[in-house]
Amino acid sequence: MNAPASTLLYSGSDWNFDTLQRIYEACENIAIGELDLNVYPNRIEVITSEQMLDAYASTGMPIFYKHWSFGKQFLANDLLYRKGLRGLAYELVINSDPCISYVMEENSATMQTLVIAHAAFGHNHFFKNNYVFRQWTDAEGILDYLEFARHYIARCEERHGQAEVERVLDSAHALMQQGIHRYPRAAPRNLNAERRREEDRRAYEESTYNALWRTLPNKKPTTRETRDMRQKSLGLPQENVLYFLEKSAPRLRGWQREILRIVRLIAQYFYPQRQTKVMNEGCAVWVHYNILKRLHETGQITEGAFLEFLHSHSNVLYQPTYDSGHYSGHNPYALGFGIMEDIERISRNPSDEDRTWFPDFAGCGDPIDVLKDAWANYRDESFIAQFLSPHLIRKWRLFKLDDREKDDEVRVAAIHDEQGYQDVRRTLARHHDVASLDPDIQIVDVDFDSDRKLMLEHTVRDRVLLQREDARQVLQHLADLWGYQVILTEVDAADRKTLNSYAIDPRPGIFY
Amino acid sequence: MHIIDRRLNPRGKSLVNRQRFLRRARDTVRGAVRDSLTSRKIREIESEGEVSIKTGGITEPTFRRDSHSGNRDHVLPGNRVFRTGDRIKRPPSSSGGGGSEAGTGEGEDEFRFVLSREEFLDLFLEDLELPDLAKRRLTGSDSFDIRRAGYTTSGSPSSLSVPRTMRNAMSRRLALRRPTSAEIEDLEKEIARLEAKARPTEKDRATLDALRERLVVLNRRRTLISYIDPIDLRYRRFEQERRPISQAVIFCLMDVSGSMNEHMKELAKIFFILLYLFVTRCYRHVEIVFIRHTDSAQEVDEETFFYSTETGGTRVSSALEEMLAVVKDRYSPLDWNIYLAQASDGDNFTRDNVQTTALMRNEILPIVQYAAYLEVSNPPSGGVPGDDRATSLWQAYSEIGEAGGKFAMRRVHSRKDIYPVFRDLFSRRGTAAHVS
């Protein structure tokens, strides 16, 4: 039955700012009132497609420092967009307080509804409640910090020249994924305070600088330090290469260290997004689906609008099978939303199998409570390991292949049957563990007595080595920053045998 | 909740980054732009366009896992046929990437993007350092037209607009209620009738007095409100309008007989492109006419012009005749600035030279802004300078001389010669005195 026209939020596809306001309020009523979500205050910004391309190029951030690689990003996206090879995302959302969602002016009213439900409530709730984000990101401070970073780097360019700064940034970017603390420490970072700390640090250095000290002869070390003492004093082994360089690289100047720090903190800020992609997108899709469904049920949007929504919704959830030619890995939207829908089913309407697998919540009747717990306390790896059900493994017909380097054939290790469920689930979970996907590289030692060689070790799992050319180039950047030779050894995790090694000397004249 | 409209924010936020990227990749981009000289069509040269460069110098390396080594496992959706323990031949080139390998940016050895028109021209012309050349000479010759532009209240008697003036006068007369002649005549008749009465009554006498009084008022009104007043006058107004010479046509003439090889055509093409770029900077609207000839000439499209080869004799005058025919047909020298660029290897029927020279001197040079003859020849081999023996066409054209700076002829052997020659040809009058 069609509702009377007066309850409709909009008709047709045109929208204006009043429509947006009405749509937002209707979504909010459902999100807060019925789904009981907990969100940061929202800010919605209307932008053009060109501005969306701009935002894409600087990792979605409204403020960012200047660097050529963002220009490269822009040109690449621009070409794909012009050729129609890639549509633009309808939305972009920033983990900040207030939470900023960009919507494009080209969207239809239905798409704006979808975007507001998806970003302003789905992602927003996830950002605010998930433990990884709570631990590692500072939604309140991020925009101020980016503003600081941009100013700091611009000032460095004035003082030291654009080329000099660009070299540091290039090298820092190459090591960005090696600039993350993967395990939490006591205090969460407050990015607002970071800026003040930097200012204090420099003020202190300036006030205590005494040119006389430079003329003191270097004292010869009286005793040879033991390896243990040395490692302890340097905090080795250290997996955060950027952090180590910032603190211990012997020849870097203060501003160069600060730039490494900026890149490192930004990498850290984005790390939670990499760890929770499946959940974050799944949460946003689940929220927009339920909000739109309710809007339709209560007669606030037309049948046509609901059909338009369903069309986009199912496009987003499209998961090709491995042999379809369109296959390019698991679609995080489909995976996340699929599991969340399944949680709903198990909570309301479980089978005997579900009761055995999920005794904690099968048949509890309150799926939103279960979901909110999952959104708050898991990341992709643990989420899949905990919630991927045999029902879904059968539905998606998941199977596992073992691919051994020395064999010409791959072996089907598990399929969707009793014996296979656990194995498939465990493997898929591991594939979503960012920490185990990134190569495990640590700084193990520094030869401080003679030529200050920096020793790194790559612990090789499953005999998967580093891609050679890239590794060589990254190590070149590392050697340039360090100022002395850098040695990387690839060591087999199982038997500690050396599989490969690199030794790279710094290029003279790059930094020193 | 706030809704903010950001659409009017300054555009091009990533412009700086874009410029930095181009600067960083300048050498490669410039090379690519320059290479596109020979692959692009002349008309496309100035439009925005796609450029692809090798990623050397713009790669952003990270530590990543080699996709060809080691043991791995994959979880894939959509199994219909396999059971546990089945063995499958490894698909070629490790396509079953699984979730972990998705998006590792492999095979990124070429980078493609679109340059805007300005960026393209900047890089293109930066390479060439195209100078201002003779721009001023070409654009300084605007002509003027006289055009009517409404009416004015002052002017010379010859431009008085009678209808407009009369119309103004009439409306003024109506507005101020100037008595018409007919009104006064009627009144006078009435007075005359009453005066003619033999025995006027008391009432008639009173009426007569009133009518006489009224006649006096009307006559005074008529003298006070003139028939035509200076404020009614209107003059036609004329304005001088600047009419820039805004259109130009370039005639590209090329000998396509068997002796013209690909190398020579490429030299010619680069020359034509330079000429096109140069002229489009001076004129708003530029057309190109391609004429090719062997012993007879025809107008063709760009494709045919550059990429087809004919055989047969060479009669250069046929091309000049064809050009004159096209000019007569479509490009009146009164309205168009005409340029001629002719490329040939210089072979011509000896007996045609007289005809050619005569056409050039008497028919073409008087109507064109500039004519350039470019003689293309094979690259010098093994350090020996190219064959500088004067060809028959060269000899013939030499008789024309500079023809008041309107005619120039140069000879090129290789790509690098073209730009200096072009610059030489189009520098200001008087500086292009020497022949290479």
Side-chain angles (χ1 to χ4, degrees):
Chain A
M1 190 194 88
N2 269 339
S6 59
T7 65
L8 283 180
L9 293 171
Y10 58 86
S11 60
S13 61
D14 291 344
W15 57 271
N16 56 34
F17 286 85
D18 289 339
T19 329
L20 276 191
Q21 186 74 39
R22 278 204 304 282
I23 290 172
Y24 179 84
E25 278 157 15
C27 290
E28 190 177 38
N29 287 338
I30 299 170
I32 312 291
E34 299 182 22
L35 303 178
D36 193 28
L37 300 182
N38 171 18
V39 294
Y40 292 121
N42 271 303
R43 199 161 92 197
I44 300 205
E45 305 199 352
V46 182
I47 60 175
T48 62
S49 55
E50 188 191 335
Q51 288 169 322
M52 186 61 99
L53 278 169
D54 279 343
Y56 259 33
S58 52
T59 57
M61 286 310 188
I63 323 159
F64 223 56
Y65 55 81
K66 297 185 174 72
H67 190 254
W68 62 268
S69 69
F70 308 135
K72 177 182 158 187
Q73 279 294 318
F74 179 90
L75 286 168
N77 290 329
D78 183 47
L79 180 68
L80 291 174
Y81 181 56
R82 278 165 189 254
K83 287 191 157 181
L85 292 180
R86 184 195 286 164
L88 286 173
Y90 305 114
E91 45 90 24
L92 215 150
V93 55
I94 294 170
N95 169 24
S96 62
D97 179 10
C99 179
I100 301 173
S101 310
Y102 292 124
V103 302
M104 283 203 296
E105 65 174 347
E106 288 89 344
N107 293 350
S108 67
T110 305
M111 288 313 297
Q112 303 294 29
T113 317
L114 169 62
V115 165
I116 288 172
H118 181 91
F121 293 100
H123 282 306
N124 189 346
H125 172 86
F126 195 81
F127 288 143
K128 188 171 178 191
N129 294 281
N130 183 266
Y131 84 103
V132 196
F133 282 95
R134 293 173 72 92
Q135 193 147 37
W136 284 114
T137 67
D138 173 20
E140 205 182 319
I142 181 64
L143 293 181
D144 285 341
Y145 186 70
L146 290 175
E147 183 69 38
F148 154 72
R150 184 174 67 171
H151 272 280
Y152 188 85
I153 285 174
R155 249 193 359 253
C156 285
E157 284 176 350
E158 278 166 28
R159 281 189 186 184
H160 310 286
Q162 194 185 312
E164 289 286 303
V165 176
E166 190 170 285
R167 278 186 209 136
V168 185
L169 280 174
D170 284 353
S171 299
H173 284 178
L175 291 161
M176 204 158 175
Q177 293 317 319
Q178 273 64 47
I180 296 163
H181 290 297
R182 290 192 165 72
Y183 304 100
R185 285 174 301 163
R189 329 245 10 124
N190 178 339
L191 291 172
N192 234 335
E194 285 296 325
R195 186 188 54 197
R196 289 193 293 277
R197 280 179 56 188
E198 192 281 326
E199 282 159 5
D200 292 348
R201 210 161 36 235
R202 214 189 37 239
Y204 175 77
E205 276 164 14
E206 278 169 10
S207 70
T208 56
Y209 179 75
N210 185 338
L212 271 182
W213 289 110
R214 294 191 310 170
T215 63
L216 281 184
N218 281 331
K219 201 172 65 174
K220 281 265 184 303
T222 46
T223 54
R224 294 195 129 235
E225 291 176 355
T226 66
R227 183 186 157 107
D228 281 354
M229 279 169 62
R230 187 172 64 235
Q231 289 195 338
K232 199 176 169 200
S233 70
L234 290 169
L236 296 177
Q238 172 62 265
E239 65 159 356
N240 192 331
V241 179
L242 281 182
Y243 178 77
F244 178 82
L245 288 172
E246 178 196 327
K247 299 296 175 203
S248 315
R251 299 172 70 176
L252 285 181
R253 281 180 284 162
W255 63 270
Q256 294 170 326
R257 292 177 204 275
E258 189 61 34
I259 289 181
L260 295 191
R261 182 184 181 78
I262 286 171
V263 173
R264 176 170 72 80
L265 291 178
I266 289 172
Q268 189 77 58
Y269 173 82
F270 284 115
Y271 188 56
Q273 312 223 359
R274 291 179 60 212
Q275 292 185 79
T276 54
K277 183 147 179 67
V278 169
M279 291 191 71
N280 201 346
E281 295 301 354
C283 171
V285 173
W286 190 89
V287 167
H288 83 222
Y289 181 64
N290 280 279
I291 289 180
L292 269 286
K293 217 167 59 179
R294 283 296 290 156
L295 287 178
H296 179 233
E297 279 166 13
T298 51
Q300 298 184 77
I301 56 175
T302 61
E303 297 289 332
F306 194 62
L307 277 178
E308 185 193 346
F309 154 71
L310 283 178
H311 180 70
S312 315
H313 176 72
S314 45
N315 272 351
V316 165
L317 293 182
Y318 176 59
Q319 172 68 69
T321 54
Y322 77 99
D323 51 355
S324 83
H326 294 288
Y327 180 78
S328 62
H330 289 277
N331 175 353
Y333 295 80
L335 190 59
F337 179 68
I339 297 178
M340 288 167 197
E341 251 192 336
D342 202 41
I343 289 176
E344 239 183 311
R345 181 188 63 81
I346 296 168
S347 309
R348 289 220 170 91
N349 197 1
S351 64
D352 288 346
E353 181 188 50
D354 296 323
R355 287 187 197 280
T356 341
W357 279 66
F358 305 101
D360 291 346
F361 66 92
C364 73
D366 186 0
I368 293 179
D369 200 45
V370 183
L371 283 172
K372 283 179 74 179
D373 176 62
W375 291 335
N377 299 313
Y378 291 82
R379 59 196 173 93
D380 287 350
E381 186 232 356
S382 52
F383 178 68
I384 293 169
Q386 178 68 30
F387 292 105
L388 182 64
S389 70
H391 174 83
L392 278 183
I393 295 177
R394 283 195 300 273
K395 181 178 159 195
W396 287 330
R397 296 174 166 270
L398 298 179
F399 66 113
K400 180 191 167 203
L401 290 177
D402 275 352
D403 183 355
R404 298 280 161 267
E405 191 175 29
K406 55 184 191 302
D407 293 348
D408 286 341
E409 295 173 324
V410 291
R411 200 177 73 87
V412 178
I415 64 164
H416 50 278
D417 59 11
E418 282 303 327
Q419 294 79 46
Y421 295 142
Q422 288 290 1
D423 197 7
V424 166
R425 177 155 99 163
R426 202 174 331 115
T427 313
L428 190 62
R430 205 175 54 241
H431 285 168
H432 287 86
D433 180 8
V434 180
S436 78
L437 292 179
D438 289 345
D440 174 12
I441 293 169
Q442 304 204 348
I443 298 173
V444 290
D445 200 6
V446 183
D447 186 353
F448 257 139
D449 291 335
S450 58
D451 50 6
R452 293 177 168 168
K453 271 203 267 296
L454 184 68
M455 321 273 207
L456 290 98
E457 210 171 271
H458 172 212
T459 307
V460 180
R461 286 178 307 253
D462 300 325
R463 306 183 72 82
V464 181
L465 298 174
L466 292 177
Q467 208 277 331
R468 273 165 184 275
E469 186 44 41
D470 266 27
R472 201 177 293 283
Q473 289 184 30
V474 178
L475 288 170
Q476 184 66 64
H477 282 298
L478 177 54
D480 294 340
L481 287 170
W482 178 245
Y484 301 93
Q485 196 179 51
V486 168
I487 292 175
L488 172 75
T489 323
E490 299 197 81
V491 181
D492 194 294
D495 54 13
R496 308 294 303 159
K497 262 195 215 148
T498 299
L499 300 174
N500 191 13
S501 76
Y502 302 83
I504 308 278
D505 286 314
R507 289 171 291 185
I510 293 294
F511 292 120
Y512 312 109
Chain B
M1 198 270 305
H2 299 288
I3 301 177
I4 298 176
D5 189 356
R6 292 269 186 228
R7 287 172 295 180
L8 293 177
N9 274 20
R11 286 161 171 274
K13 221 171 82 177
S14 60
L15 196 66
V16 179
N17 289 329
R18 188 183 165 117
Q19 282 166 348
R20 285 188 181 195
F21 168 74
L22 288 180
R23 207 175 308 142
R24 186 182 177 93
R26 165 168 259 137
D27 290 342
T28 24
V29 176
R30 200 164 58 185
V33 165
R34 202 179 182 183
D35 285 346
S36 70
L37 253 188
T38 45
S39 62
R40 279 188 169 203
K41 290 187 175 181
I42 287 182
R43 285 187 189 84
E44 287 169 0
I45 253 306
E46 223 192 349
S47 60
E48 61 182 26
E50 203 177 310
V51 170
S52 67
I53 59 172
K54 296 277 176 237
T55 50
I58 56 154
T59 46
E60 292 172 274
T62 52
F63 282 128
R64 55 193 172 93
R65 307 199 307 168
D66 182 17
S67 55
H68 300 296
S69 70
N71 307 325
R72 52 193 74 227
D73 42 32
H74 312 288
V75 173
L76 304 170
N79 173 31
R80 311 219 165 264
V81 291
F82 304 127
R83 290 168 194 231
T84 312
D86 281 358
R87 288 181 173 273
I88 315 163
K89 205 111 189 93
R90 192 199 304 270
S93 74
S94 75
S95 63
S100 59
E101 262 71 49
T104 42
E106 252 185 298
E108 193 201 24
D109 50 10
E110 212 175 56
F111 184 69
R112 304 174 72 78
F113 54 92
V114 175
L115 286 176
S116 73
R117 183 173 176 275
E118 282 72 29
E119 284 166 340
F120 186 88
L121 275 187
D122 275 356
L123 284 162
F124 180 77
L125 298 178
E126 178 201 72
D127 201 22
L128 292 167
E129 287 165 5
L130 196 65
D132 204 359
L133 295 172
K135 208 178 196 169
R136 189 170 301 156
R137 171 159 64 90
L138 293 171
T139 50
S141 50
D142 287 357
S143 67
F144 290 90
D145 255 2
I146 297 211
R147 173 176 84 85
R148 290 182 64 157
Y151 297 91
T152 169
T153 50
S154 63
S156 67
S158 62
S159 61
L160 181 75
S161 167
V162 177
R164 188 56 71 114
T165 304
M166 292 314 287
R167 197 198 296 172
N168 280 344
M170 186 154 147
S171 36
R172 182 180 49 80
R173 288 194 312 260
L174 285 174
L176 296 179
R177 276 181 291 146
R178 182 179 193 264
T180 59
S181 318
E183 265 177 87
I184 288 181
E185 261 171 42
D186 285 350
L187 201 59
E188 278 170 346
K189 265 188 202 150
E190 184 65 14
I191 292 171
R193 190 182 63 80
L194 288 175
E195 280 176 340
K197 268 193 177 170
R199 251 189 269 128
T201 59
E202 196 58 26
K203 193 180 154 221
D204 284 341
R205 240 181 249 126
T207 317
L208 195 61
D209 282 349
L211 286 178
R212 278 189 184 132
E213 214 170 297
R214 181 160 169 71
L215 182 65
V216 172
V217 170
L218 284 188
N219 274 329
R220 209 166 66 223
R221 210 178 168 86
R222 229 165 114 84
T223 39
L224 280 176
I225 303 170
S226 60
Y227 189 76
I228 290 181
D229 191 273
I231 64 165
D232 300 332
L233 296 181
R234 289 296 179 273
Y235 301 86
R236 289 187 296 270
R237 200 166 94 88
F238 295 94
E239 247 179 10
Q240 273 203 328
E241 193 189 36
R242 219 181 152 80
R243 194 184 63 176
I245 297 173
S246 60
Q247 46 191 5
V249 54
I250 303 172
F251 281 88
C252 300
L253 268 50
M254 186 157 68
D255 175 0
V256 290
S257 61
S259 54
M260 282 287 284
N261 57 29
E262 285 306 314
H263 169 76
M264 292 170 171
K265 282 187 189 174
E266 188 174 313
L267 294 182
K269 179 169 181 179
I270 297 173
F271 185 77
F272 293 139
I273 288 176
L274 284 174
L275 180 62
Y276 177 75
L277 270 183
F278 167 57
V279 173
T280 41
R281 294 228 141 180
C282 303
Y283 299 104
R284 240 182 293 159
H285 182 61
V286 178
E287 293 197 6
I288 317 181
V289 176
F290 297 101
I291 294 174
R292 62 171 193 169
H293 71 91
T294 53
D295 50 0
S296 65
Q298 69 188 119
E299 186 186 347
V300 293
D301 60 20
E302 185 176 341
E303 209 62 32
T304 322
F305 186 72
F306 285 110
Y307 300 105
S308 77
T309 314
E310 300 279 307
T311 50
T314 313
R315 200 165 60 83
V316 176
S317 62
S318 66
L320 300 184
E321 279 159 6
E322 175 74 13
M323 169 177 167
L324 285 170
V326 175
V327 167
K328 196 174 169 205
D329 189 24
R330 309 204 300 263
Y331 302 103
S332 155
L334 295 176
D335 298 328
W336 291 83
N337 296 283
I338 303 173
Y339 289 85
L340 164 63
Q342 184 188 3
S344 164
D345 60 357
D347 277 340
N348 194 17
F349 283 140
T350 318
R351 63 184 143 80
D352 184 50
N353 281 333
V354 180
Q355 167 79 349
T356 308
T357 322
L359 274 175
M360 181 64 90
R361 193 194 329 245
N362 302 330
E363 311 258 342
I364 292 185
L365 285 180
I367 60 167
V368 298
Q369 305 291 109
Y370 200 75
Y373 168 62
L374 188 76
E375 192 160 297
V376 288
S377 50
N378 281 319
S381 53
V384 182
D387 187 3
D388 277 341
R389 185 173 42 86
T391 61
S392 67
L393 189 58
W394 183 271
Q395 278 178 334
Y397 274 161
S398 296
E399 292 169 19
I400 299 178
E402 291 279 310
K406 267 192 173 181
F407 182 72
M409 46 199 283
R410 296 292 183 275
R411 182 183 281 155
V412 292
H413 304 288
S414 64
R415 285 184 61 165
K416 67 173 171 29
D417 298 339
I418 293 184
Y419 182 68
V421 163
F422 180 81
R423 196 191 157 104
D424 189 23
L425 287 178
F426 286 92
S427 48
R428 292 277 188 96
R429 222 184 284 228
T431 56
H434 75 281
V435 174
S436 67

